[in-house]
Amino acid sequence: MKRICIITLCLLILPALVIGCTTSEPEPTGTLAPPTPTPTPGPVSYTTGLAGSDLYRPVAVSIDNSSAARPQSGLQSADIVYEVEAEGGIPRFIAIFNDTMPDRVGPIRSARVYFLDIVKEYDALLVHVGGPRVRNSSNVYAAFSQLDIQHIDGDGQYIWRDHSRSAPHNCYTDVAADRTAYTYEPEPRTFLYSDDGPASAAESGTRLSVSYNSGAYRAVYTYDEALDAYLCSYGANALNDANTGEQVRVKNVIVQFARHYKLDSQHINIDLTGTGDAYILSGGKLVRGTWERDSISQHTVFKDAGGNEIALTPGNTWINVVRPSRDVTVE
């Protein structure tokens, strides 16, 4: 009987102890939030490194840069722009369009054999008006065939003339329409991009001057900190885009020093495979490095002094290909 009473007493005391322990814990003050999911990266452009689209069907256009051709149309919309010397030291642009496809680009001019080395680098098609047909290595039409490069040439379905401007500075094209002319799927080629841009240990690079010929053909890039971009001028004159009415601005500027040599009495060629020195400017900073390209079907890689590939800031890139002897200054 005594044992039964003890058991009964324990059973009566135990719930009280449990209740006492439970009520001593603090009450929850809110609902526990679920863990934040890791965002899935979206598509990134091959030609700018910007988020948006990974469609790769670039259109290259040979654009006039004589003083009579300015202001050009569409340069601000180009993802990558090369400036290269042509006859008499007057440069031309090879503009690569992929992310944005304006309906008016030009004035379009003729092609040269070394333009095709650039076009081949992007596995792109080229829009141009004519080119040398001479019976030597300057013959651009022979080079089109040898390199198997698709191209759009002259007046017709894709190129028209604006008769309010004087010839030969009056041919224009719609690059979105040009893109429909593709008969193959191009192989994507890309630079290395990083939101941090080049290495933080880079030198100051807020102003670049590249001489192609006289003052009218001296490209000047001035860094604007508020825009975080370089404003482009020729001599003292701003380079404006006729489509926007504004001065062209560029995120990355590269100087690629390369050997130039004569093919005949009129035409030159440029070695765009191999290696050479390079300046890379982005975000107001300069990296002195080198460029390397093993073959015509491969992409050029820009490297720092340690042999590491240099990251570009996402956005548009302009590449000035110049003779090693040209006057190039950086501040």
Side-chain angles (χ1 to χ4, degrees), residues 38 49 52 68 76 182 211 228 285 302 307 314:
T38 302
Q76 186 63 72
Y182 262 101
S211 177
D228 189 22
K285 296 179 181 179
F302 294 95

Side-chain angles (χ1 to χ4, degrees), residues 34-223:
T36 303
T38 302
T40 302
V44 175
S45 165
Y46 290 103
T47 48
T48 62
L50 296 170
S53 172
D54 58 1
L55 172 66
Y56 190 80
R57 192 165 281 197
V59 174
V61 184
S62 173
I63 298 179
D64 196 350
N65 193 25
S66 63
S67 55
R70 301 173 191 155
Q72 296 92 341
S73 298
L75 287 175
Q76 186 63 72
S77 299
D79 300 338
I80 301 166
V81 175
Y82 286 79
E83 186 169 16
V84 295
E85 182 180 324
E87 290 74 39
I90 298 174
R92 289 190 185 171
F93 295 125
I94 298 92
I96 314 293
F97 297 87
N98 187 65
D99 289 11
T100 304
M101 310 299 284
D103 59 9
R104 181 181 171 90
V105 172
I108 305 169
R109 291 300 299 272
S110 56
R112 298 292 181 268
V113 290
Y114 49 96
F115 293 13
L116 307 195
D117 290 358
I118 294 170
V119 174
K120 191 71 175 178
E121 182 164 353
Y122 297 91
D123 198 21
L125 62 78
L126 176 66
V127 182
H128 67 109
V129 177
R133 291 183 181 270
V134 291
R135 292 186 177 182
N136 60 29
S137 52
S138 296
N139 190 325
V140 71
Y141 291 93
F144 277 120
S145 178
Q146 292 164 3
L147 298 175
D148 192 25
I149 292 177
Q150 186 173 348
H151 61 112
I152 294 172
D153 181 12
D155 301 13
Q157 179 181 357
Y158 299 100
I159 297 173
W160 69 89
R161 291 187 181 271
D162 179 350
H163 294 290
S164 68
R165 301 196 66 169
S166 299
H169 317 291
N170 64 349
C171 289
Y172 292 85
T173 191
D174 177 341
V175 289
D178 299 334
R179 179 181 260 177
T180 66
Y182 262 101
T183 59
Y184 66 98
E185 287 301 319
E187 178 186 342
R189 315 282 172 81
T190 187
F191 293 114
L192 176 65
Y193 293 98
S194 169
D195 289 337
D196 297 328
S200 58
E203 305 172 39
S204 173
T206 57
R207 188 176 187 276
L208 170 70
S209 174
V210 180
S211 177
Y212 284 93
N213 197 327
S214 63
Y217 302 109
R218 176 182 289 273
V220 179
Y221 301 88
T222 305
Y223 182 66

